[in-house]
Amino acid sequence: MNETSKSLNFIEQIVEEDLANGYGREDLRFRFPPEPNGYLHIGHASSICLNFGLGLRYNAPVNLRFDDTNPAKEEQEYVDAIKKDVEWLGFSWDTERYASDYFQQLYDWAIILIKEGKAYVDDQSSEEMADQKGTPTEPGTNSPNRNRSIEENLSLFDQMKRGEFGEGTHVLRAKIDMSSSNMLMRDPIMYRVLHKAHHRTNTDWCIYPMYDWTHGESDYIEQVSHSFCTLEFAMHRELYNWFLDQVYEPGKIRPKQREFARRNLSHTVVSKRKLLQLVEQGFVNGWDDPRMPTISGLRRRGYTPESIRNFVDTIGIAKRDNLIDVSLLEFTIREHLNKTTHRVMGVLNPLKLVITNYPEGQTEWLEAENSPEDEHAGSRQVPFSRELYIEQDDFKEEANKKFFRLKLGGEVRLKNGYIIKAESCTKDTDGNIVEVQCTYDPKSKSGSGTEESLRRVKGTLHWVSIAHAIKTEVRLYDRLFTDESPDTHKDKDFLEFINPDSLSIITGYVEPALKNAAIGDRFQFQRLGYFCVDPDSNDNLLVFNRTVGLRDSWAKIQDKK
RNA sequence: UGGCCCAUGGUGUAAUGGUAACACUCCGGUUUUUGGUACCGUCAUUCAAGGUUCGAGUCCUUGUGGGCCAACCA
């Protein structure tokens, strides 16, 4: 990681400035603080790479802290998935923390606040409190309970803790300023009553701290130096600092919150709430559905950690609203897979090709290069015979000069094999071409060095020998939404933009070398794209996911017509 | 009609008062036994108006546009 020539993003600059102003390098500490209420998505990858990247850059510890203050939404399943995803992306945390580890400390501090007259118990309804809250343009009014005695507050809060009150009946509020221009400073709630079991503390508590009261104090407990979050928390900073003021002791590290813009990806949604909706309402088959922008979905789709890190690095960190084109993500995965995958042949829309002058029953094993990008990748043998499958798109009875593929009377090379010439074709009663008959030039075998083998023909087709091919299931994915920014329409729900054709499942035929492919293995199906073996595969059936297609300039030429 | 934040090619990000650049996309071309890859090239950028300065994308003012803020969510 030689970053010397690379410019710093504004977050890195903040750290650099602190260092320049005397901040101790050894005092640097960061954290990645997910709430375990859903799976991590590509947007989180930015935050992960930012925080763990800072840790790597400064050799500083980075904690993985679960922000688990709401037992109503959080589950162990999510904790496990998050840990797996962070590790898979290639990062190691210093210590695994939970905000729930700090419930006792938070409670003790809350008692102090009450004793200092800085917090009070309110037993009004949420509606009443909302009314008193005012609006962004009008100040709020004080709660009638705002000036309860310290003794009464202590007693009430104790009763809350002991479970004597029902949910929604009592809260502990910080006494700050009901007329602040910042709504969050209008006596924010610190604790609410929740008679729910927590995934870690079980039923030890029935009062749970709110985000604002928890987050900054957790940073402080862990002595995190820089606490980076997304822009929607910018207004929370004032409160974050106010809460810190209440507990801060000189000499300790005082965490600093700064905000950056979350990354939006085109043609999808990057919000745990909306992704959960897609899962729960069955628009996708789970959080790791390959169409999901989740880390687990991308992993199953065939994305590599390297490509995601490279993507994140390319899109950078800033403060303005953004909508990153998914084509950039596709570029980074193609870039990595081009260099790392072996080339194989598979046919997705088969058209039977019969080589009429090739001996019946004969099989010949042709040598095929595994990767033109890697001279050490070696080669393999591919069976060739009289009856093959080629792609339906690769044959036309008649076509103009721009069509480099097979047409009647025309020649193409079969990749790694021979030059063939289409002689005739047969059709079914509906006029669909069902078979092509051709002849081959026995002297044109690839790599044989003969004059005929060196002849240049414009088109090269991939193919499989019908008798040797493995029948597989292939899942083709398209963008999940038809709109580039489905959740930013004020008058329309994002679900209205679901792409009904985001998944199509077809039967494909691949060369026998893939017989022993393992789950997760990635390949380039030549001329088609990158594919990986899905976990749904079993001994009887290989299932492939198309990670991404190859760039297709022929398709572009077609589109123009 | 309050507060906070933001504004650089189609997209994203740099330029830290001194020649506006990089990547992706788009378009065109060269090479090619993948219409892939690689390589070359074209088009295209500082929201507006004032001000400070020898010099402003950068600093100041005002406007305009966009985002966020009134969950016992995070």
Side-chain angles (χ1 to χ4, degrees):
Chain A
M1 296 218 175
N2 184 4
E3 309 274 337
T4 47
S5 59
K6 218 188 146 207
S7 59
L8 302 178
N9 65 48
F10 86 99
I11 292 286
E12 292 164 334
Q13 286 176 34
I14 287 168
V15 177
E16 283 294 326
E17 278 166 27
D18 286 340
L19 251 18
N21 292 330
Y23 210 102
R25 186 172 275 251
E26 66 284 358
D27 290 333
L28 256 23
R29 181 184 284 275
F30 310 98
R31 106 266 93 116
F32 172 62
E35 181 190 10
N37 67 341
Y39 282 56
L40 261 23
H41 54 64
I42 187 71
H44 293 110
S46 269
S47 178
I48 292 168
C49 291
L50 174 68
N51 286 295
F52 285 97
L54 248 13
L56 255 17
R57 170 190 283 269
Y58 296 107
N59 193 29
V62 184
N63 288 344
L64 174 62
R65 181 171 74 233
F66 292 96
D67 223 334
D68 56 348
T69 57
N70 186 358
K73 292 182 177 177
E74 296 150 7
E75 296 172 22
Q76 187 62 38
E77 176 201 346
Y78 297 132
V79 170
D80 297 338
I82 288 166
K83 287 165 67 175
K84 180 179 179 181
D85 288 347
V86 172
E87 282 181 322
W88 180 75
L89 279 173
F91 298 105
S92 315
W93 49 86
D94 182 52
T95 55
E96 179 180 334
R97 305 291 189 111
Y98 294 82
S100 53
D101 293 342
Y102 313 137
F103 281 173
Q104 183 62 47
Q105 172 67 266
L106 258 8
Y107 175 80
D108 293 343
W109 276 332
I111 296 290
I112 293 175
L113 256 64
I114 293 172
K115 287 181 176 169
E116 290 176 346
K118 290 172 177 169
Y120 62 97
V121 172
D122 203 339
D123 57 357
Q124 298 182 96
S125 69
S126 57
E127 292 75 22
E128 286 172 306
M129 286 192 280
D131 286 342
Q132 291 158 10
K133 194 120 191 175
T135 69
T137 54
E138 300 159 32
T141 52
N142 287 347
S143 163
N145 301 312
R146 200 170 198 261
N147 292 315
R148 274 195 221 271
S149 69
I150 288 171
E151 291 68 30
E152 194 181 358
N153 281 320
L154 250 14
S155 164
L156 251 15
F157 190 48
D158 186 55
Q159 285 175 274
M160 280 172 66
K161 186 193 178 222
R162 292 207 316 265
E164 292 175 14
F165 297 133
E167 290 187 9
T169 61
H170 293 68
V171 293
L172 182 73
R173 291 227 257 172
K175 192 190 285 188
I176 307 181
D177 179 6
M178 289 304 290
S179 62
S180 171
S181 59
N182 182 351
M183 301 284 293
L184 291 160
M185 299 298 279
R186 323 242 264 225
D187 290 9
I189 293 172
M190 294 171 68
Y191 278 94
R192 76 283 214 190
V193 173
L194 244 32
H195 293 284
K196 290 196 171 60
H198 184 275
H199 71 110
R200 288 182 59 88
T201 61
N202 204 340
T203 52
D204 291 353
W205 298 86
C206 58
I207 53 171
Y208 289 92
M210 300 289 288
Y211 166 85
D212 288 298
W213 170 234
T214 308
H215 202 90
E217 318 306 284
S218 299
D219 287 338
Y220 180 61
I221 290 167
E222 294 176 20
Q223 287 290 278
V224 164
S225 60
H226 296 78
S227 180
F228 300 116
C229 59
T230 46
L231 241 29
E232 63 266 30
F233 290 99
M235 296 300 292
H236 293 247
R237 190 151 108 198
E238 189 179 0
L239 182 52
Y240 178 102
N241 288 330
W242 190 91
F243 278 136
L244 231 36
D245 285 338
Q246 312 312 312
V247 303
Y248 181 72
E249 294 174 19
K252 291 201 142 190
I253 295 294
R254 187 188 163 100
K256 174 189 270 193
Q257 174 184 308
R258 288 297 181 272
E259 312 82 18
F260 60 92
R262 59 176 255 216
R263 259 69 260 279
N264 297 300
L265 227 210
S266 76
H267 303 280
T268 191
V269 290
V270 196
S271 141
K272 275 192 281 188
R273 205 199 92 238
K274 287 169 191 152
L275 294 173
L276 176 64
Q277 216 176 321
L278 293 173
V279 172
E280 287 185 334
Q281 296 181 24
F283 290 104
V284 295
N285 303 311
W287 286 96
D288 70 342
D289 186 301
R291 291 167 292 181
M292 291 281 271
T294 50
I295 304 297
S296 53
L298 292 167
R299 174 169 60 233
R300 186 167 179 182
R301 175 91 169 238
Y303 275 77
T304 59
E306 292 91 334
S307 70
I308 293 174
R309 279 191 256 120
N310 193 26
F311 169 74
V312 164
D313 198 46
T314 304
I315 62 180
I317 294 285
K319 292 185 82 166
R320 50 176 155 156
D321 293 336
N322 58 83
L323 181 63
I324 291 145
D325 201 299
V326 71
S327 66
L328 184 58
L329 217 209
E330 294 174 342
F331 168 78
T332 59
I333 187 58
R334 282 194 193 106
E335 183 183 43
H336 190 222
L337 260 18
N338 173 50
K339 289 178 186 136
T340 54
T341 58
H342 284 188
R343 272 60 171 170
V344 296
M345 291 195 284
V347 173
L348 301 187
N349 295 299
L351 172 61
K352 187 174 179 182
L353 178 77
V354 178
I355 306 168
T356 56
N357 60 337
Y358 195 87
E360 277 187 60
Q362 177 172 316
T363 297
E364 181 175 4
W365 290 81
L366 304 171
E367 180 159 344
E369 183 185 29
N370 284 330
S371 174
E373 302 291 321
D374 178 6
E375 57 184 18
H376 303 299
S379 62
R380 67 186 187 286
Q381 303 292 114
V382 183
F384 186 83
S385 65
R386 190 172 194 266
E387 297 189 343
L388 313 175
Y389 280 141
I390 61 170
E391 247 14 281
Q392 286 173 21
D393 284 349
D394 284 341
F395 175 77
K396 275 186 179 177
E397 287 181 272
E398 292 176 27
N400 64 25
K401 272 182 130 178
K402 285 200 166 178
F403 186 75
F404 302 158
R405 286 111 106 127
L406 191 61
K407 57 191 169 192
L408 253 24
E411 288 184 314
V412 294
R413 174 171 291 282
L414 293 176
K415 180 78 183 173
N416 305 312
Y418 298 91
I419 293 175
I420 58 167
K421 181 179 183 182
E423 307 287 357
S424 57
C425 65
T426 51
K427 299 178 183 174
D428 63 15
T429 50
D430 296 326
N432 301 310
I433 298 168
V434 294
E435 184 183 299
V436 176
Q437 297 86 34
C438 69
T439 53
Y440 85 120
D441 176 357
K443 293 180 185 160
S444 66
K445 183 174 172 178
S446 289
S448 63
T450 63
E451 194 180 321
E452 290 84 350
S453 74
L454 298 174
R455 267 181 62 213
R456 298 176 59 177
V457 289
K458 191 64 186 169
T460 300
L461 307 186
H462 62 276
W463 50 273
V464 292
S465 166
I466 296 177
H468 304 84
I470 304 172
K471 195 172 175 179
T472 65
E473 176 175 322
V474 181
R475 298 173 182 174
L476 305 175
Y477 303 103
D478 197 356
R479 24 197 67 158
L480 232 197
F481 293 91
T482 54
D483 188 88
E484 67 171 8
S485 187
D487 57 349
T488 55
H489 297 265
K490 288 195 168 71
D491 51 336
K492 286 184 178 171
D493 188 80
F494 75 105
L495 294 173
E496 290 181 42
F497 299 102
I498 287 267
N499 176 5
D501 304 315
S502 61
L503 167 65
S504 65
I505 299 176
I506 62 173
T507 297
Y509 297 85
V510 300
E511 61 173 274
L514 289 177
K515 184 168 189 160
N516 297 316
I519 288 168
D521 282 356
R522 303 178 178 95
F523 302 93
Q524 184 196 91
F525 287 7
Q526 264 177 141
R527 299 211 303 137
L528 295 175
Y530 297 97
F531 293 76
C532 78
V533 181
D534 189 83
D536 284 348
S537 300
N538 57 48
D539 292 344
N540 300 316
L541 179 69
L542 269 175
V543 178
F544 282 99
N545 293 315
R546 182 174 66 192
T547 308
V548 65
L550 253 27
R551 273 185 56 199
D552 189 349
S553 46
W554 172 241
K556 280 175 188 164
I557 293 169
Q558 299 274 284
D559 287 345
K560 284 180 196 165
K561 290 176 184 173

